[in-house]
Protein backbone atom coordinates (compact mmCIF):
# COMPACT_ATOMS: atom_id res chain seq x y z
CA UNK A 1 0.00 0.00 0.00
CA UNK A 2 2.59 2.49 1.07
CA UNK A 3 4.97 1.37 -1.72
CA UNK A 4 2.35 2.04 -4.40
CA UNK A 5 1.59 5.46 -2.92
CA UNK A 6 5.24 6.43 -3.06
CA UNK A 7 5.70 5.25 -6.65
CA UNK A 8 2.72 7.27 -7.83
CA UNK A 9 3.37 10.46 -5.92
CA UNK A 10 7.01 10.75 -5.03
CA UNK A 11 10.48 9.60 -5.82
CA UNK A 12 13.78 11.42 -5.83
CA UNK A 13 14.01 11.48 -9.61
CA UNK A 14 10.49 12.58 -10.54
CA UNK A 15 9.84 14.57 -7.34
CA UNK A 16 6.15 15.00 -6.56
CA UNK A 17 3.08 14.72 -8.72
CA UNK A 18 1.20 17.53 -6.99
CA UNK A 19 -1.93 17.20 -9.09
CA UNK A 20 -2.20 13.51 -8.21
CA UNK A 21 -1.59 14.31 -4.56
CA UNK A 22 -4.30 16.97 -4.57
CA UNK A 23 -6.86 14.69 -6.22
CA UNK A 24 -6.23 11.84 -3.81
CA UNK A 25 -6.64 14.05 -0.76
CA UNK A 26 -9.79 15.73 -2.05
CA UNK A 27 -11.23 12.29 -2.78
CA UNK A 28 -10.46 11.24 0.79
CA UNK A 29 -12.08 14.43 2.06
CA UNK A 30 -15.21 13.74 0.04
CA UNK A 31 -15.50 10.26 1.57
CA UNK A 32 -15.78 11.78 5.05
CA UNK A 33 -18.57 14.22 4.30
CA UNK A 34 -21.80 13.55 6.21
CA UNK A 35 -23.52 16.94 5.76
CA UNK A 36 -23.12 20.29 4.00
CA UNK A 37 -20.49 21.46 6.45
CA UNK A 38 -20.10 18.28 8.52
CA UNK A 39 -17.11 15.95 8.13
CA UNK A 40 -15.94 12.98 10.13
CA UNK A 41 -12.38 13.11 11.43
CA UNK A 42 -11.60 9.67 9.99
CA UNK A 43 -13.51 6.76 8.45
CA UNK A 44 -14.26 5.20 11.84
CA UNK A 45 -14.62 8.26 14.06
CA UNK A 46 -17.33 10.83 14.62
CA UNK A 47 -17.90 14.29 13.18
CA UNK A 48 -17.21 17.38 15.30
CA UNK A 49 -16.66 21.07 14.77
CA UNK A 50 -12.90 20.38 14.87
CA UNK A 51 -13.06 17.88 12.02
CA UNK A 52 -15.16 20.29 9.94
CA UNK A 53 -12.60 23.06 10.50
CA UNK A 54 -9.75 20.77 9.46
CA UNK A 55 -11.71 19.89 6.33
CA UNK A 56 -12.17 23.59 5.63
CA UNK A 57 -8.45 24.23 6.08
CA UNK A 58 -7.66 21.50 3.55
CA UNK A 59 -10.16 22.90 1.06
CA UNK A 60 -8.56 26.32 1.42
CA UNK A 61 -5.04 24.89 1.15
CA UNK A 62 -6.05 23.61 -2.29
CA UNK A 63 -7.79 26.95 -3.07
CA UNK A 64 -11.12 25.17 -3.43
CA UNK A 65 -12.78 27.90 -1.35
CA UNK A 66 -12.11 30.40 -4.16
CA UNK A 67 -14.78 28.58 -6.18
CA UNK A 68 -17.41 28.57 -3.44
CA UNK A 69 -20.50 30.75 -3.73
CA UNK A 70 -21.35 33.39 -1.16
CA UNK A 71 -24.18 31.14 0.04
CA UNK A 72 -21.80 28.24 0.65
CA UNK A 73 -19.47 30.45 2.67
CA UNK A 74 -22.42 31.77 4.66
CA UNK A 75 -23.45 28.20 5.50
CA UNK A 76 -19.99 27.42 6.82
CA UNK A 77 -19.89 30.65 8.83
CA UNK A 78 -23.33 29.95 10.31
CA UNK A 79 -22.21 26.48 11.36
CA UNK A 80 -19.01 27.78 12.98
CA UNK A 81 -20.81 30.63 14.74
CA UNK A 82 -23.33 28.20 16.21
CA UNK A 83 -20.55 27.26 18.65
CA UNK A 84 -19.93 30.83 19.81
CA UNK A 85 -20.89 31.88 23.31
CA UNK A 86 -22.98 35.07 23.21
CA UNK A 87 -21.54 36.46 26.46
CA UNK A 88 -17.79 35.89 26.10
CA UNK A 89 -17.48 35.48 22.33
CA UNK A 90 -15.51 32.27 22.87
CA UNK A 91 -16.17 29.19 20.74
CA UNK A 92 -17.08 26.21 22.94
CA UNK A 93 -17.09 22.54 21.87
CA UNK A 94 -20.43 20.74 22.09
CA UNK A 95 -20.96 19.20 25.52
CA UNK A 96 -17.92 20.92 27.05
CA UNK A 97 -18.30 21.60 30.77
CA UNK A 98 -14.84 22.67 31.86
CA UNK A 99 -13.16 26.01 32.49
CA UNK A 100 -13.37 28.65 29.79
CA UNK A 101 -9.65 29.38 30.13
CA UNK A 102 -8.63 25.99 28.74
CA UNK A 103 -6.84 24.50 25.77
CA UNK A 104 -10.07 23.03 24.38
CA UNK A 105 -11.92 26.37 24.31
CA UNK A 106 -9.03 28.61 23.32
CA UNK A 107 -7.95 26.20 20.60
CA UNK A 108 -11.42 26.01 19.06
CA UNK A 109 -11.74 29.80 19.28
CA UNK A 110 -8.41 30.26 17.50
CA UNK A 111 -9.32 27.73 14.81
CA UNK A 112 -12.80 29.20 14.29
CA UNK A 113 -11.55 32.78 13.95
CA UNK A 114 -8.96 31.82 11.34
CA UNK A 115 -11.57 29.70 9.52
CA UNK A 116 -13.99 32.63 9.41
CA UNK A 117 -11.20 34.85 8.14
CA UNK A 118 -10.45 32.61 5.18
CA UNK A 119 -14.19 32.61 4.38
CA UNK A 120 -14.28 36.41 4.51
CA UNK A 121 -16.80 36.24 7.35
CA UNK A 122 -17.01 37.52 10.94
CA UNK A 123 -18.02 36.11 14.30
CA UNK A 124 -21.68 36.49 15.26
CA UNK A 125 -21.00 38.06 18.65
CA UNK A 126 -18.40 40.50 19.95
CA UNK A 127 -15.14 38.96 21.17
CA UNK A 128 -15.63 40.08 24.75
CA UNK A 129 -13.00 37.66 26.05
CA UNK A 130 -10.33 40.05 24.77
CA UNK A 131 -11.13 41.98 27.95
CA UNK A 132 -9.55 39.19 30.00
CA UNK A 133 -6.27 40.95 29.28
CA UNK A 134 -6.40 44.73 29.61
CA UNK A 135 -3.09 45.38 31.37
CA UNK A 136 0.50 44.23 31.22
CA UNK A 137 0.05 42.68 34.67
CA UNK A 138 -2.83 40.57 33.33
CA UNK A 139 -0.63 39.28 30.49
CA UNK A 140 2.24 38.48 32.86
CA UNK A 141 -0.09 36.77 35.35
CA UNK A 142 -1.67 34.62 32.62
CA UNK A 143 1.68 33.44 31.24
CA UNK A 144 2.92 32.55 34.71
CA UNK A 145 -0.28 30.71 35.69
CA UNK A 146 -0.16 28.68 32.48
CA UNK A 147 3.34 27.47 33.42
CA UNK A 148 4.91 28.96 30.29
CA UNK A 149 8.31 29.56 31.88
CA UNK A 150 8.75 26.06 33.29
CA UNK A 151 7.66 24.20 30.15
CA UNK A 152 4.39 22.83 31.51
CA UNK A 153 2.72 20.57 28.89
CA UNK A 154 0.49 22.64 26.55
CA UNK A 155 1.79 25.90 28.02
CA UNK A 156 3.23 26.75 24.59
CA UNK A 157 -0.26 26.40 23.11
CA UNK A 158 -1.76 28.63 25.79
CA UNK A 159 0.90 31.29 25.23
CA UNK A 160 0.32 31.11 21.47
CA UNK A 161 -3.44 31.55 21.89
CA UNK A 162 -2.87 34.75 23.83
CA UNK A 163 -0.51 36.01 21.13
CA UNK A 164 -3.12 35.18 18.47
CA UNK A 165 -5.95 36.87 20.34
CA UNK A 166 -3.97 40.05 21.02
CA UNK A 167 -2.91 40.16 17.36
CA UNK A 168 -6.50 39.84 16.15
CA UNK A 169 -7.62 42.49 18.64
CA UNK A 170 -4.96 44.90 17.39
CA UNK A 171 -5.50 44.21 13.69
CA UNK A 172 -9.25 44.67 13.98
CA UNK A 173 -9.29 47.72 16.28
CA UNK A 174 -5.89 49.35 15.61
CA UNK A 175 -5.94 50.16 19.33
CA UNK A 176 -2.35 50.80 20.45
CA UNK A 177 -3.22 49.22 23.82
CA UNK A 178 -3.18 45.78 22.24
CA UNK A 179 0.13 46.50 20.55
CA UNK A 180 1.57 47.37 23.96
CA UNK A 181 0.18 44.13 25.40
CA UNK A 182 1.80 42.22 22.54
CA UNK A 183 5.10 43.93 23.27
CA UNK A 184 4.71 42.81 26.87
CA UNK A 185 4.11 39.24 25.62
CA UNK A 186 7.36 39.38 23.62
CA UNK A 187 9.37 41.04 26.39
CA UNK A 188 8.33 38.40 28.91
CA UNK A 189 9.21 35.62 26.49
CA UNK A 190 12.62 37.11 25.79
CA UNK A 191 13.22 37.51 29.51
CA UNK A 192 12.45 33.87 30.28
CA UNK A 193 13.93 32.18 27.20
CA UNK A 194 16.37 29.41 28.11
CA UNK A 195 19.77 30.41 26.62
CA UNK A 196 20.87 26.77 26.47
CA UNK A 197 18.00 25.57 24.28
CA UNK A 198 16.18 28.67 22.98
CA UNK A 199 12.91 27.32 24.38
CA UNK A 200 10.90 28.06 27.51
CA UNK A 201 11.84 25.45 30.07
CA UNK A 202 13.93 25.12 33.19
CA UNK A 203 16.97 22.99 33.85
CA UNK A 204 17.38 20.14 34.38
CA UNK A 205 15.30 19.23 31.35
CA UNK A 206 13.43 15.97 31.90
CA UNK A 207 12.17 15.58 28.35
CA UNK A 208 13.90 17.40 25.48
CA UNK A 209 11.01 16.65 23.13
CA UNK A 210 8.45 18.66 25.09
CA UNK A 211 10.74 21.69 24.90
CA UNK A 212 10.65 22.03 21.14
CA UNK A 213 7.01 20.97 20.80
CA UNK A 214 5.97 23.62 23.33
CA UNK A 215 8.32 26.27 21.97
CA UNK A 216 7.15 25.90 18.38
CA UNK A 217 3.80 27.44 19.30
CA UNK A 218 5.34 30.49 20.94
CA UNK A 219 7.78 30.97 18.09
CA UNK A 220 4.88 31.07 15.61
CA UNK A 221 3.96 34.45 17.12
CA UNK A 222 7.57 35.61 16.73
CA UNK A 223 7.45 34.53 13.09
CA UNK A 224 4.19 36.33 12.35
CA UNK A 225 5.43 39.61 13.82
CA UNK A 226 8.92 39.17 12.32
CA UNK A 227 10.37 39.50 15.80
CA UNK A 228 14.04 38.60 16.09
CA UNK A 229 14.52 35.26 17.86
CA UNK A 230 17.34 34.98 20.35
CA UNK A 231 19.33 31.75 20.50
CA UNK A 232 18.00 30.59 17.13
CA UNK A 233 21.16 28.52 16.72
CA UNK A 234 20.44 26.66 19.96
CA UNK A 235 16.90 25.95 18.73
CA UNK A 236 18.17 24.45 15.48
CA UNK A 237 20.89 22.46 17.25
CA UNK A 238 18.34 20.98 19.66
CA UNK A 239 15.86 20.01 16.94
CA UNK A 240 18.61 18.44 14.83
CA UNK A 241 19.78 16.51 17.87
CA UNK A 242 16.26 15.12 18.28
CA UNK A 243 15.93 14.00 14.66
CA UNK A 244 15.64 10.26 14.11
CA UNK A 245 17.03 7.82 11.59
CA UNK A 246 13.58 7.50 9.97
CA UNK A 247 13.17 11.22 9.22
CA UNK A 248 10.96 11.89 12.24
CA UNK A 249 11.40 13.95 15.41
CA UNK A 250 9.64 12.21 18.29
CA UNK A 251 10.63 9.67 20.92
CA UNK A 252 8.99 6.65 19.30
CA UNK A 253 9.27 5.26 15.74
CA UNK A 254 7.11 6.87 13.07
CA UNK A 255 6.85 10.29 14.71
CA UNK A 256 3.58 12.16 14.35
CA UNK A 257 1.92 14.71 12.09
CA UNK A 258 2.15 17.49 14.66
CA UNK A 259 5.60 16.66 16.01
CA UNK A 260 7.19 16.37 12.59
CA UNK A 261 5.62 19.56 11.24
CA UNK A 262 6.62 21.51 14.34
CA UNK A 263 10.23 20.43 13.95
CA UNK A 264 10.32 21.16 10.22
CA UNK A 265 8.83 24.62 10.72
CA UNK A 266 11.40 25.45 13.40
CA UNK A 267 14.24 24.29 11.14
CA UNK A 268 12.90 26.51 8.34
CA UNK A 269 12.29 29.62 10.46
CA UNK A 270 15.37 29.41 12.68
CA UNK A 271 17.72 27.51 10.37
CA UNK A 272 17.09 27.92 6.63
CA UNK A 273 15.82 31.49 6.93
CA UNK A 274 18.90 32.38 9.01
CA UNK A 275 21.25 30.47 6.71
CA UNK A 276 22.28 28.34 9.68
CA UNK A 277 23.07 24.62 9.35
CA UNK A 278 21.58 24.46 5.85
CA UNK A 279 24.02 21.69 4.99
CA UNK A 280 22.49 19.54 7.73
CA UNK A 281 18.86 20.53 7.30
CA UNK A 282 18.40 20.01 3.56
CA UNK A 283 19.55 16.35 3.46
CA UNK A 284 17.38 15.71 6.51
CA UNK A 285 14.38 17.18 4.68
CA UNK A 286 14.81 14.58 1.95
CA UNK A 287 14.34 11.90 4.62
CA UNK A 288 11.37 13.80 6.05
CA UNK A 289 9.68 13.76 2.65
CA UNK A 290 10.30 10.03 2.27
CA UNK A 291 8.72 9.42 5.64
CA UNK A 292 5.67 11.64 5.06
CA UNK A 293 4.71 9.73 1.93
CA UNK A 294 5.22 6.45 3.76
CA UNK A 295 2.26 7.32 6.02
CA UNK A 296 -0.17 8.08 3.20
CA UNK A 297 -2.85 5.40 2.90
CA UNK A 298 -4.58 3.97 -0.14
CA UNK A 299 -7.65 6.13 0.56
CA UNK A 300 -5.52 9.23 -0.17
CA UNK A 301 -5.39 10.51 3.39
CA UNK A 302 -2.44 10.60 5.75
CA UNK A 303 -2.33 8.95 9.16
CA UNK A 304 -0.62 9.84 12.40
CA UNK A 305 1.73 6.85 12.52
CA UNK A 306 2.15 3.47 10.81
CA UNK A 307 5.19 2.25 12.67
CA UNK A 308 4.32 2.10 16.36
CA UNK A 309 5.32 -1.12 18.13
CA UNK A 310 2.48 -3.22 19.56
CA UNK A 311 4.61 -5.71 21.43
CA UNK A 312 7.51 -5.30 23.83
CA UNK A 313 9.50 -7.87 21.83
CA UNK A 314 9.68 -5.21 19.07
CA UNK A 315 12.54 -3.74 21.11
CA UNK A 316 14.83 -6.64 20.28
CA UNK A 317 15.86 -6.00 16.69
CA UNK A 318 18.50 -4.02 14.81
CA UNK A 319 16.04 -1.43 13.47
CA UNK A 320 14.99 -0.55 17.00
CA UNK A 321 18.59 -0.27 18.14
CA UNK A 322 19.31 2.08 15.25
CA UNK A 323 16.36 4.25 16.27
CA UNK A 324 17.35 4.24 19.93
CA UNK A 325 21.01 5.06 19.36
CA UNK A 326 20.69 7.54 16.49
CA UNK A 327 21.95 11.02 17.43
CA UNK A 328 23.42 11.60 20.89
CA UNK A 329 22.34 8.32 22.51
CA UNK A 330 23.43 9.40 26.01
CA UNK A 331 20.72 12.07 26.16
CA UNK A 332 18.01 10.45 24.08
CA UNK A 333 18.37 6.69 24.58
CA UNK A 334 16.43 6.30 27.82
CA UNK A 335 13.76 8.83 26.82
CA UNK A 336 13.15 6.82 23.66
CA UNK A 337 13.32 3.48 25.45
CA UNK A 338 10.71 4.48 28.04
CA UNK A 339 8.51 5.99 25.34
CA UNK A 340 8.59 2.84 23.19
CA UNK A 341 7.84 0.57 26.16
CA UNK A 342 4.89 2.78 27.13
CA UNK A 343 3.40 3.22 23.66
CA UNK A 344 3.52 -0.52 22.97
CA UNK A 345 0.94 -1.18 25.71
CA UNK A 346 -2.51 -2.16 24.46
CA UNK A 347 -4.27 0.89 25.94
CA UNK A 348 -2.17 3.15 23.71
CA UNK A 349 -2.88 1.33 20.45
CA UNK A 350 -5.30 4.11 19.50
CA UNK A 351 -4.79 7.87 19.51
CA UNK A 352 -7.07 9.78 21.90
CA UNK A 353 -7.64 13.53 21.48
CA UNK A 354 -10.28 16.01 22.61
CA UNK A 355 -11.28 16.56 18.96
CA UNK A 356 -13.46 13.45 18.74
CA UNK A 357 -15.27 11.28 21.28
CA UNK A 358 -13.67 8.00 20.24
CA UNK A 359 -10.04 7.01 19.84
CA UNK A 360 -8.66 6.72 16.31
CA UNK A 361 -6.24 3.95 15.24
CA UNK A 362 -2.82 5.46 14.71
CA UNK A 363 -2.62 4.09 11.16
CA UNK A 364 -6.09 5.31 10.08
CA UNK A 365 -6.19 8.35 7.80
CA UNK A 366 -7.61 11.43 9.52
CA UNK A 367 -8.15 15.08 8.64
CA UNK A 368 -5.76 16.58 11.18
CA UNK A 369 -2.87 14.36 10.07
CA UNK A 370 -3.70 14.98 6.41
CA UNK A 371 -3.67 18.76 6.88
CA UNK A 372 -0.43 18.78 8.87
CA UNK A 373 1.30 16.29 6.57
CA UNK A 374 0.42 18.55 3.62
CA UNK A 375 1.82 21.58 5.47
CA UNK A 376 5.01 19.59 6.05
CA UNK A 377 5.24 18.63 2.39
CA UNK A 378 4.84 22.26 1.32
CA UNK A 379 7.42 23.54 3.82
CA UNK A 380 9.94 20.94 2.68
CA UNK A 381 9.33 21.34 -1.05
CA UNK A 382 9.62 25.13 -0.82
CA UNK A 383 12.90 24.75 1.06
CA UNK A 384 14.30 22.18 -1.36
CA UNK A 385 12.97 24.25 -4.29
CA UNK A 386 10.83 21.50 -5.74
CA UNK A 387 8.97 24.17 -7.67
CA UNK A 388 5.55 23.55 -9.12
CA UNK A 389 4.47 24.51 -12.65
CA UNK A 390 1.03 25.52 -11.42
CA UNK A 391 0.37 26.98 -8.03
CA UNK A 392 -2.57 25.06 -6.61
CA UNK A 393 -1.66 25.46 -2.95
CA UNK A 394 -1.46 28.09 -0.23
CA UNK A 395 -1.01 28.48 3.49
CA UNK A 396 -3.48 30.20 5.81
CA UNK A 397 -3.55 33.95 5.35
CA UNK A 398 -4.05 34.98 8.96
CA UNK A 399 -2.23 34.35 12.21
CA UNK A 400 -2.47 30.80 13.54
CA UNK A 401 -1.29 27.30 12.78
CA UNK A 402 -0.79 26.84 9.05
CA UNK A 403 0.25 30.44 8.43
CA UNK A 404 3.50 31.20 6.62
CA UNK A 405 5.24 34.53 6.10
CA UNK A 406 6.20 33.79 2.48
CA UNK A 407 2.72 32.60 1.64
CA UNK A 408 2.06 31.00 -1.75
Amino acid sequence: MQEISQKVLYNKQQRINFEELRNKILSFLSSLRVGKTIYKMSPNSDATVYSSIFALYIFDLFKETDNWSSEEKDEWAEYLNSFQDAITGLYIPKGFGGEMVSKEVFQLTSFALSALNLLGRKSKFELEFFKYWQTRDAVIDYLEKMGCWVGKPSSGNMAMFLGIFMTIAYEESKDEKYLDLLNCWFEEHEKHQNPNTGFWEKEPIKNHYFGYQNGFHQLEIFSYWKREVKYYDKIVDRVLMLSNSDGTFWSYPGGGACYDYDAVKLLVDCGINKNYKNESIKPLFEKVLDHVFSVQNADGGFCENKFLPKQIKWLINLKTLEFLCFKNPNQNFFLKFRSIVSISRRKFWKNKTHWVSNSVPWDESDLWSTWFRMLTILEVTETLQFYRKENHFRFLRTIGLGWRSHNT
Side-chain angles (χ1 to χ4, degrees), residues 82-187:
S82 70
F83 292 86
Q84 190 182 24
D85 177 58
I87 298 174
T88 64
L90 290 164
Y91 288 74
I92 303 172
K94 184 178 180 180
F96 181 77
E99 294 290 330
M100 291 298 99
V101 180
S102 64
K103 180 179 178 181
E104 291 87 346
V105 173
F106 280 12
Q107 185 179 64
L108 178 56
T109 301
S110 172
F111 285 157
L113 292 177
S114 62
L116 288 167
N117 179 276
L118 69 85
L119 291 168
R121 301 297 186 267
K122 296 287 187 179
S123 58
K124 183 177 181 179
F125 304 109
E126 291 295 320
L127 305 177
E128 293 292 331
F129 67 92
F130 286 165
K131 295 178 182 177
Y132 289 174
W133 309 278
Q134 290 293 297
T135 66
R136 280 177 163 251
D137 285 344
V139 170
I140 293 170
D141 183 61
Y142 170 88
L143 293 171
E144 289 179 346
K145 284 184 176 178
M146 293 300 108
C148 297
W149 313 141
V150 295
K152 182 179 176 181
S154 294
S155 61
N157 299 74
M158 298 305 287
M160 179 187 71
F161 297 143
L162 177 55
I164 289 173
F165 297 151
M166 293 297 95
T167 297
I168 294 173
Y170 173 69
E171 291 180 342
E172 291 191 353
S173 70
K174 302 304 178 186
D175 188 336
E176 294 292 323
K177 170 183 66 180
Y178 292 114
L179 189 60
D180 182 60
L181 295 175
L182 274 164
N183 283 328
C184 175
W185 188 97
F186 283 116
E187 290 162 10

Side-chain angles (χ1 to χ4, degrees), residues 171-342:
E171 291 180 342
E172 291 191 353
S173 70
K174 302 304 178 186
D175 188 336
E176 294 292 323
K177 170 183 66 180
Y178 292 114
L179 189 60
D180 182 60
L181 295 175
L182 274 164
N183 283 328
C184 175
W185 188 97
F186 283 116
E187 290 162 10
E188 288 299 304
H189 274 80
E190 289 163 349
K191 184 191 303 182
H192 291 92
Q193 194 174 7
N194 188 325
N196 296 318
T197 66
F199 300 123
W200 291 273
E201 55 196 358
K202 284 195 172 181
E203 306 282 7
I205 302 167
K206 293 183 179 180
N207 194 321
H208 308 296
Y209 297 92
F210 290 140
Y212 96 76
Q213 208 273 331
N214 246 339
F216 156 78
H217 297 89
Q218 289 140 301
L219 288 165
E220 284 290 88
I221 308 301
F222 278 79
S223 178
Y224 183 86
W225 281 95
K226 296 180 172 59
R227 185 90 171 197
E228 190 64 28
V229 177
K230 296 192 300 181
Y231 317 122
Y232 66 86
D233 55 333
K234 300 294 185 181
I235 292 171
V236 171
D237 290 345
R238 175 54 57 93
V239 175
L240 287 175
M241 187 266 281
L242 295 174
S243 64
N244 298 314
S245 55
D246 60 358
T248 66
F249 297 87
W250 203 243
S251 56
Y252 44 67
C258 186
Y259 307 137
D260 296 338
Y261 171 71
D262 294 355
V264 165
K265 188 66 160 53
L266 288 173
L267 292 176
V268 170
D269 288 348
C270 297
I272 296 295
N273 291 349
K274 298 286 188 182
N275 199 29
Y276 178 72
K277 293 288 181 76
N278 288 18
E279 71 287 350
S280 298
I281 296 171
K282 289 186 176 182
L284 175 59
F285 277 6
E286 288 271 4
K287 293 172 66 176
V288 169
L289 209 53
D290 283 333
H291 174 74
V292 169
F293 279 105
S294 77
V295 294
Q296 186 177 27
N297 287 321
D299 59 15
F302 289 83
C303 67
E304 180 73 6
N305 192 308
K306 279 187 179 181
F307 305 101
L308 287 180
K310 291 188 176 180
Q311 293 180 328
I312 296 296
K313 68 180 183 180
W314 187 93
L315 287 165
I316 311 172
N317 63 56
L318 291 176
K319 189 173 182 180
T320 307
L321 288 175
E322 179 188 11
F323 179 84
L324 287 169
C325 298
F326 188 76
K327 291 285 183 74
N328 209 332
N330 291 332
Q331 288 183 297
N332 293 348
F333 182 91
F334 290 106
L335 284 173
K336 290 180 176 180
F337 184 85
R338 288 202 308 268
S339 181
I340 293 171
V341 170
S342 177

